[in-house]
Amino acid sequence: MPVQLLTIKVSKGLYLRDPQESELGRRIIGEGVKLLDKLGFEGFTFKKLGTRIGSPEASIYRYFKNKRQFLQYITALYWGWIKFRIDMILRFHKGRKERIEALLSVLTEIGTDDPATPFVDEKLLCRVVMSQSKKVFPINKAEQEGGCTKEYRVLLRSIGDIILSINPKFKFPLALSSTLLSAAHEQIQYSTHFTSLTELKGRNSKKMLREFLKVLLAPALTQAKCHTK
Amino acid sequence: MPVQLLTIKVSKGLYLRDPQESELGRRIIGEGVKLLDKLGFEGFTFKKLGTRIGSPEASIYRYFKNKRQFLQYITALYWGWIKFRIDMILRFHKGRKERIEALLSVLTEIGTDDPATPFVDEKLLCRVVMSQSKKVFPINKAEQEGGCTKEYRVLLRSIGDIILSINPKFKFPLALSSTLLSAAHEQIQYSTHFTSLTELKGRNSKKMLREFLKVLLAPALTQAKCHTK
DNA sequence: TACTAAATAATAGTAATACTATCTTAAGCT
DNA sequence: AGCTTAAGATAGTATTACTATTATTTAGTA
């Protein structure tokens, strides 16, 4: 029996053959992410990826029906990965304040590579998802419930539950979760590539991001003790 | 002299010939937005657009060098359009509280068509930008400063200035502006297409969105009088 | 050892895409 | 009438996004 690698479960509709189960599949993911990061979704082709990994494009088509599905897959993988990190960290942080700090840590540390998943570079994966993931949100209704929203929804619920565990009366846990998540990704992207779009840049950018996210979280945590008026 | 239509200025690098200056150009924008909404960026081609407006694709290539640039153009147009609305409404609202309410109104009403711009349907435009705009954020450094970030940056500054006019000590006006803007778009999209991802849905979704955005804004406005601890 | 099944490699082929080029016609101005 | 510019008409090309077929390798098993 071979060493069991850490795998992240992804909905069945997002692949034809599970790429995490074979060497070729893992190479497709690993190198595919690199190539997507380099070329962007438009420039990326299975042909180029095939050349890169020394396999014909037809082999890749056996794993994913097209490159759209491929991007959906790695996006789902990414959300699953973040949820995994949140679940892990929550296992060791039971106190209310502790949980908030832990959540903030995960959010500020997205986009840092983790050696636990050897076949994919999370830093690149995060970059790709940040810049490309919107391309993947289903357009037509057929794709809508079937596809890649599932792992995103599950992630939002995890974060929402943390928020509720601090303040059970807060009315918008899901909305706040997606806002936090988007804001974290957006600000990280801006801080590295579009510095004129944010104050969170330079040496202290991570610290400031954490502070900023805490500000966003604040009203949800203060149990309506504090009013603007 | 013909009637002057309302036009929104867009950076020169985002087109070859200014499409707002000719009938054909305006048709390209108007119908192009409809087609993009219908087909998504991948399915959209100048050929199909040409067929739709009864012109050869070569004519469209005289306005935009490729469809990527076209999407950049309409995204910039959209940001410019929102900034215009914000500037308009601020002209008539000078008080601090009033300004906040006005800003919230604009943010909750994005995605509503405005008859002031006859050649483009803002509702569709908003939808297209929501779902496609990330495809357009420049990947390489060459595009970065030249392109479509400009109108976005200008918009962020406008919103940031409002925030600062309420609370000059707030440290992250730009970051909060982009977060508000993204959150508004994201939640509107979820409330119509992915209702399992948000609480802001159903009959009262606009009202709730406004409330939610106000919650996000709150800490910025309370002049640090109110602490979590 | 041979037999079978599955995954992959190797190769070919096709309709559509994303352009570029050129040439003609029409519209507007002086 | 002559000039300029925008637009129409048409053609062509390399690449893309696939599909199909056949051959080869690999692994399990009778």
Side-chain angles (χ1 to χ4, degrees):
Chain A
M1 203 158 147
V3 181
Q4 179 63 38
L5 298 172
L6 168 62
T7 57
I8 305 277
K9 263 216 164 174
V10 170
S11 304
K12 282 212 166 175
L14 300 185
Y15 55 83
L16 301 176
R17 218 198 287 303
D18 186 350
Q20 289 184 73
E21 278 185 355
S22 77
E23 186 53 36
L24 177 62
R26 288 186 290 268
R27 272 175 65 71
I28 290 173
I29 298 175
E31 296 299 312
V33 168
K34 286 183 201 164
L35 204 59
L36 260 177
D37 180 59
K38 196 170 151 197
L39 303 175
F41 187 62
E42 270 70 56
F44 174 88
T45 71
F46 281 173
K47 183 117 196 235
K48 290 172 189 165
L49 178 54
T51 307
R52 192 174 174 128
I53 64 180
S55 288
E57 56 177 338
S59 295
I60 304 172
Y61 276 103
R62 263 182 236 106
Y63 284 87
F64 301 101
K65 70 177 184 205
N66 51 43
K67 68 174 177 171
R68 181 174 168 79
Q69 190 181 51
F70 177 67
L71 181 53
Q72 289 180 324
Y73 180 89
I74 65 162
T75 303
L77 189 70
Y78 178 72
W79 298 135
W81 164 243
I82 293 192
K83 172 164 161 46
F84 173 79
R85 286 177 85 164
I86 287 181
D87 290 348
M88 285 300 287
I89 217 167
L90 285 190
R91 200 169 292 173
F92 304 106
H93 298 274
K94 299 288 183 186
R96 301 192 160 194
K97 280 224 174 106
E98 247 190 341
R99 287 175 154 230
I100 290 298
E101 296 302 325
L103 173 63
L104 289 175
S105 295
V106 173
L107 288 177
T108 48
E109 293 299 329
I110 51 176
T112 311
D113 188 32
D114 189 309
T117 56
F119 64 90
V120 61
D121 181 335
E122 281 85 23
K123 194 177 171 188
L124 294 186
L125 182 56
C126 174
R127 269 221 309 257
V128 168
V129 170
M130 280 193 292
S131 61
Q132 318 282 336
S133 71
K134 294 275 164 167
K135 303 180 190 185
V136 124
F137 251 78
I139 306 160
N140 56 55
K141 280 156 199 173
E143 266 189 352
Q144 238 166 68
E145 291 309 313
C148 60
T149 36
K150 195 189 159 193
E151 8 285 298
Y152 186 64
R153 187 167 59 234
V154 169
L155 172 59
L156 288 192
R157 283 221 203 94
S158 279
I159 301 178
D161 286 344
I162 298 178
I163 294 170
L164 284 179
S165 78
I166 314 290
N167 178 1
K169 296 209 174 141
F170 185 64
K171 283 163 76 179
F172 315 114
L174 287 175
L176 184 58
S177 298
S178 52
T179 299
L180 283 172
L181 208 50
S182 298
H185 284 90
E186 196 171 59
Q187 296 304 319
I188 287 174
Q189 194 182 20
Y190 292 172
S191 75
T192 47
H193 296 298
F194 311 96
T195 48
S196 62
L197 300 181
T198 184
E199 296 87 7
L200 319 177
K201 57 197 173 194
R203 288 251 160 270
N204 281 19
S205 65
K206 274 195 185 178
K207 214 181 192 174
M208 295 170 93
L209 174 60
R210 198 187 171 105
E211 198 183 335
F212 176 64
L213 294 176
K214 209 169 181 174
V215 167
L216 292 181
L217 258 174
L221 309 182
T222 51
Q223 316 215 31
K225 267 185 281 187
C226 161
H227 288 274
T228 312
K229 240 230 198 108
Chain B
M1 204 160 152
V3 182
Q4 179 63 39
L5 297 171
L6 168 63
T7 57
I8 305 278
K9 265 217 163 170
V10 170
S11 304
K12 281 213 167 178
L14 300 184
Y15 56 84
L16 300 176
R17 219 198 287 301
D18 186 348
Q20 288 183 75
E21 277 185 357
S22 77
E23 186 52 37
L24 177 62
R26 287 186 291 267
R27 273 175 65 69
I28 290 173
I29 298 175
E31 296 300 313
V33 168
K34 288 183 200 166
L35 205 60
L36 260 177
D37 181 59
K38 196 171 152 195
L39 303 175
F41 188 61
E42 270 73 55
F44 174 88
T45 71
F46 281 173
K47 183 118 196 233
K48 290 173 190 165
L49 178 54
T51 307
R52 191 174 173 126
I53 63 180
S55 288
E57 55 178 338
S59 294
I60 304 171
Y61 276 103
R62 268 184 225 108
Y63 284 86
F64 301 100
K65 71 178 183 205
N66 51 42
K67 67 174 180 173
R68 182 174 166 80
Q69 189 181 49
F70 177 67
L71 181 53
Q72 288 179 324
Y73 179 89
I74 65 163
T75 303
L77 189 69
Y78 178 73
W79 298 134
W81 164 242
I82 294 193
K83 172 165 160 46
F84 173 78
R85 286 177 85 166
I86 287 181
D87 289 349
M88 284 301 287
I89 217 166
L90 284 188
R91 201 170 291 173
F92 304 106
H93 298 276
K94 299 288 182 188
R96 299 192 162 194
K97 281 221 175 112
E98 249 191 338
R99 287 176 154 229
I100 291 299
E101 296 302 324
L103 173 62
L104 289 175
S105 295
V106 173
L107 289 177
T108 48
E109 293 299 327
I110 50 177
T112 310
D113 187 33
D114 189 310
T117 56
F119 64 90
V120 61
D121 180 336
E122 280 86 22
K123 195 176 170 190
L124 295 185
L125 181 56
C126 174
R127 269 221 308 258
V128 167
V129 171
M130 278 192 293
S131 60
Q132 319 282 337
S133 70
K134 293 275 162 163
K135 305 181 186 182
V136 124
F137 252 77
I139 306 161
N140 56 56
K141 279 158 199 170
E143 266 189 352
Q144 240 167 68
E145 292 309 313
C148 61
T149 37
K150 194 190 160 194
E151 9 285 296
Y152 186 64
R153 187 168 59 235
V154 168
L155 172 59
L156 288 192
R157 281 220 204 95
S158 279
I159 301 178
D161 285 344
I162 298 179
I163 294 170
L164 284 179
S165 78
I166 314 289
N167 177 1
K169 296 207 172 140
F170 186 64
K171 282 164 77 178
F172 314 115
L174 286 176
L176 184 58
S177 298
S178 52
T179 299
L180 283 172
L181 208 50
S182 297
H185 284 90
E186 195 170 59
Q187 297 303 319
I188 286 175
Q189 192 182 21
Y190 292 172
S191 74
T192 48
H193 296 299
F194 311 97
T195 48
S196 61
L197 300 181
T198 183
E199 295 88 7
L200 318 178
K201 58 196 171 194
R203 288 250 160 271
N204 281 19
S205 64
K206 275 196 183 175
K207 213 179 190 175
M208 294 169 93
L209 173 60
R210 196 188 173 105
E211 199 184 334
F212 176 65
L213 294 176
K214 208 169 181 175
V215 166
L216 292 181
L217 257 174
L221 309 181
T222 51
Q223 315 216 34
K225 269 185 279 184
C226 162
H227 287 279
T228 311
K229 243 230 201 107

